[in-house]
């Protein structure tokens, strides 16, 4: 097993929360550093929700030698960039050692961006975490026939907006992950840890202010859901 040192059970309110994302949650989108620092846009609403649960530790890569990982009990990953093989090993080991993960993987991101297609500063338009999901017994698929536009989905009685959502399918009958609500999400018991995977990231959009209260309440509920403790389940090496 590729795993970091075992972590104690997640507290209801972690002291710090890791944030790993390609979305402009901590910093507004801007062409240069000066524009970023002087951007007039208000802070992203999700930042305030997350900080109610703990101080945010920004992560830009996963490394088994990063001592910050051992101090974290919860990591939130909204539409992250693709991970290198060593990063997959590090993240999988952190979860197996007792970490809790809230992961959003969107197969067709609908959020607007100031950056053109192909610009590396643009949020990930398509989630690229197939190796990690496959190791956990999941594949992410997209129903291309579904109508575009926001609608309400739900996970464990938590309602939130989705748009061109994906579907998580279990690849083995007794794997560590259990798809829920027709695959809109999956709950996973991975080693000593836990992951909640959501197949959409429209929750983090800002253009529909009328849904602001719903979005904030949903993210708050999903963070609490991911932070719950579970019984350990054995899982093999990352391949």
């Amino acid at each position: 097993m590729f795993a970091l040192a075992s972590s104690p059970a997640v507290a209801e309110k972690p002291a710090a929360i890791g944030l790993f994302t390609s979305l402009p949650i901590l910093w507004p989108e801007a062409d240069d550093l000066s524009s970023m620092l002087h951007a007039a846009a208000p802070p992203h609403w999700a930042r305030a929700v997350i900080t109610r649960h703990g101080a945010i530790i920004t992560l830009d890569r996963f490394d088994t030698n990063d001592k910050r990982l051992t101090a974290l009990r919860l990591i939130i990953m909204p539409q992250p960039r693709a991970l290198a093989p060593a990063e997959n090993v590090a993240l999988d080991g952190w979860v197996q050692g007792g970490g809790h993960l809230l992961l959003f993987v969107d197969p067709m991101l609908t959020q607007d961006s100031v950056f053109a297609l192909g610009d590396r500063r643009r949020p990930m338009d398509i989630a690229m975490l197939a190796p990690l999901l496959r190791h956990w017994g999941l594949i992410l698929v997209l129903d291309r026939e579904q109508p575009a536009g926001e609608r309400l989905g739900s996970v464990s009685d938590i309602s939130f907006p989705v748009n061109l959502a994906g579907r998580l399918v279990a690849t083995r009958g007794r794997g560590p992950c259990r798809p829920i609500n027709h695959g809109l999400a999956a709950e996973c018991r991975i080693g000593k840890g836990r992951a909640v995977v959501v197949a959409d990231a429209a929750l983090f959009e800002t253009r529909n202010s009328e849904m602001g209260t719903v979005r904030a309440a949903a993210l708050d509920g999903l963070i609490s859901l991911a932070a719950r403790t579970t019984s350990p389940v054995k899982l093999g090496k990352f391949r």
Side-chain angles (χ1 to χ4, degrees):
M1 178 187 299
F2 292 101
L4 303 177
S6 296
S7 304
V10 176
E12 287 298 318
K13 187 172 183 179
I17 296 175
L19 180 64
F20 187 104
T21 182
S22 69
L23 302 180
I25 293 175
L26 289 183
W27 302 103
E29 288 188 322
D31 289 330
D32 53 47
L33 181 60
S34 176
S35 299
M36 181 183 298
L37 293 175
H38 295 90
H44 195 288
W45 63 265
R47 183 172 184 170
V49 176
I50 296 171
T51 54
R52 286 203 294 268
H53 291 260
I56 296 176
I57 302 297
T58 306
L59 302 172
D60 55 11
R61 65 191 302 268
F62 291 109
D63 186 337
T64 55
N65 296 316
D66 188 344
K67 296 185 183 301
R68 295 179 304 168
L69 283 182
T70 60
L72 293 173
R73 300 297 179 267
L74 176 65
I75 294 177
I76 302 174
M77 294 176 63
Q79 196 68 350
R81 63 165 173 78
L83 301 182
E87 290 182 295
N88 281 322
V89 172
L91 178 57
D92 177 63
W94 175 82
V95 177
Q96 290 208 42
H100 287 218
L101 176 67
L102 177 56
L103 173 62
F104 297 83
V105 284
D106 197 320
M108 189 65 69
L109 189 71
T110 55
Q111 177 169 310
D112 293 330
S113 174
V114 302
F115 301 119
L117 289 171
D119 193 314
R120 297 185 66 179
R121 295 169 294 180
R122 182 183 177 90
M124 296 295 295
D125 291 291
I126 300 173
M128 303 288 285
L129 291 189
L132 184 67
L133 295 177
R134 186 170 58 247
H135 177 61
W136 291 343
L138 293 171
I139 57 172
L140 175 65
V141 298
L142 172 65
D143 175 11
R144 297 185 179 275
E145 301 301 319
Q146 65 180 300
E150 281 194 344
R151 60 181 176 84
L152 283 179
S154 64
V155 172
S156 295
D157 296 325
I158 302 168
S159 296
F160 54 92
V162 298
N163 194 349
L164 295 179
R167 181 164 55 91
L168 292 161
V169 180
T171 61
R172 52 185 187 266
R174 301 189 65 180
C177 295
R178 177 179 65 91
I180 54 179
N181 194 7
H182 306 288
L184 177 59
E187 292 186 279
C188 308
R189 294 188 299 159
I190 301 166
K192 297 179 180 178
R194 173 183 175 83
V196 174
V197 186
V198 182
D200 191 78
L203 168 64
F204 292 91
E205 293 191 11
T206 59
R207 55 187 168 185
N208 186 350
S209 59
E210 294 180 358
M211 294 290 287
T213 301
V214 173
R215 296 180 195 277
L219 180 57
D220 185 71
L222 289 170
I223 291 173
S224 296
L225 179 65
R228 292 178 186 172
T229 57
T230 60
S231 302
V233 173
K234 291 183 179 180
L235 190 62
K237 297 179 180 179
F238 191 94
R239 298 184 183 275

